[in-house]
Amino acid sequence: MALNLTRTALGILMATATVAPALAQDQARFDPRTAPWTRPGYRLVGAGVPILFPELRDSPRGRAFVMPNFDANGDGRINRQEADDANREFARIAGPRRDRFDWDAYGRDPRGYRGGGTTVVETTTTWDRGAMRNYGFRQTPRGATLTLQEDVLFRTDSAVLRPGAIEKLRPLARYLRANPGVRVSIDGFTDSRGTDAHNQDLSERRAASVRQAFDDMDVVRARFSVVGHGERDPVATNATAAGMRLNRRVEVTLLGQRADRF
């Protein structure tokens, strides 16, 4: 009986290793310093594959660029939105001559690929631990979470970021560029004033504005999930001005990360 169980378990493991391409993305995230295309296991399936650039679809290095970074829902398939995100990011780093993109040069220089005399990637491999500590991350079941209050990011009843909000987010963007395997959840919340529909829409637009800010700072947008919760899940009473202020917030969670790292 023990022998049969062992053989059964071994068979399950072997089958899983051969039919689950999503496993590869847990083994390696795209990072030009580690050249993940040297590792086997990346293959592309899904409705978005036909619209991928040939440079991404038809080469091991292209597939290794796509799967770890742009399979946003982790289902092992590339949908049309994920393919669009991958094409957009590759076009940004490769410049006008995608067919001549030098993966080797990109891998050797993590500070930025230089092709045709133009720097088309601006990344950094360092991050400021003190600045990250100042965010006050707390440990949650999903990962390391920080809370950004409304008055730090937005004017009342607006989803337009204040001018100083970008500087507030910049150290986190630097950390995310230096740690390309970290995925992020952005969750927006409001207080209970206004209608449910208005609060839901406002929370979604605010969360999307924060993601756009990271996109503008060269953090791949496919790494983010964005959810608006409206007035649900308050952290304080909505019966007082102080409580409502606490409820108007955006939470950013580094999924699977430890808060005590910072």
Side-chain angles (χ1 to χ4, degrees), residues 10 13 26 28-29 42 48 60 65 72 120 127 141 145-146 174 180 187-188 201 205 223 236 249:
L10 180 60
L13 288 173
D26 294 325
R29 297 288 183 183
Y42 293 101
F65 176 82
V120 295
W127 53 279
T145 299
L146 70 92
R174 187 176 299 117
D187 297 84
D201 176 68
R205 288 189 291 115
R223 295 168 62 182
R249 68 199 191 277

Side-chain angles (χ1 to χ4, degrees), residues 161 165-166 169 173 207-219:
L161 287 170
I166 298 298
L169 298 171
S209 290
V210 173
R211 180 176 66 175
Q212 183 60 50
F214 286 118
D215 188 39
D216 293 341
M217 289 184 281
D218 293 327
V219 184

Side-chain angles (χ1 to χ4, degrees), residues 91-113:
R92 185 182 70 84
I93 67 173
R97 294 304 305 270
R98 299 192 313 266
D99 58 326
R100 295 188 179 183
F101 183 67
D102 188 342
W103 289 101
D104 290 328
Y106 184 45
R108 286 194 302 270
D109 185 2
R111 295 166 299 177
Y113 171 72

Side-chain angles (χ1 to χ4, degrees), residues 49-225:
V49 174
I51 66 174
L52 284 170
F53 292 147
E55 294 83 5
L56 300 179
R57 184 180 63 240
D58 299 334
S59 73
R61 298 182 179 192
R63 292 191 290 271
F65 176 82
V66 172
M67 281 305 298
N69 289 291
F70 300 96
D71 178 20
N73 59 13
D75 66 354
R77 306 177 68 85
I78 298 299
N79 61 38
R80 294 186 66 87
Q81 182 59 60
E82 292 164 346
D84 284 341
D85 290 338
N87 284 344
R88 186 181 305 109
E89 179 65 9
F90 183 65
R92 185 182 70 84
I93 67 173
R97 294 304 305 270
R98 299 192 313 266
D99 58 326
R100 295 188 179 183
F101 183 67
D102 188 342
W103 289 101
D104 290 328
Y106 184 45
R108 286 194 302 270
D109 185 2
R111 295 166 299 177
Y113 171 72
R114 290 169 173 80
T118 302
T119 301
V120 295
V121 172
E122 295 180 359
T123 60
T124 179
T125 58
T126 62
W127 53 279
D128 187 334
R129 189 175 299 275
M132 290 292 287
R133 185 181 303 114
N134 290 338
Y135 282 124
F137 283 95
R138 69 185 189 279
Q139 192 64 49
T140 65
R142 302 171 69 200
T145 299
L146 70 92
T147 299
L148 298 165
Q149 299 300 151
E150 174 200 57
D151 51 5
V152 173
L153 298 178
F154 306 101
R155 293 183 175 87
T156 300
D157 204 34
S158 171
V160 178
L161 287 170
R162 293 178 181 271
I166 298 298
E167 292 306 311
K168 180 71 174 178
L169 298 171
R170 199 174 298 282
L172 182 54
R174 187 176 299 117
Y175 166 83
L176 292 172
R177 290 197 302 267
N179 294 272
V182 176
R183 290 183 179 269
V184 185
S185 176
I186 301 177
D187 297 84
F189 303 86
T190 70
D191 60 31
S192 61
R193 293 177 299 176
T195 66
D196 290 348
H198 173 78
N199 290 335
Q200 180 63 35
D201 176 68
L202 180 61
S203 68
E204 292 174 0
R205 288 189 291 115
R206 285 181 165 179
S209 290
V210 173
R211 180 176 66 175
Q212 183 60 50
F214 286 118
D215 188 39
D216 293 341
M217 289 184 281
D218 293 327
V219 184
V220 178
R221 67 186 293 117
R223 295 168 62 182
F224 295 88
S225 64

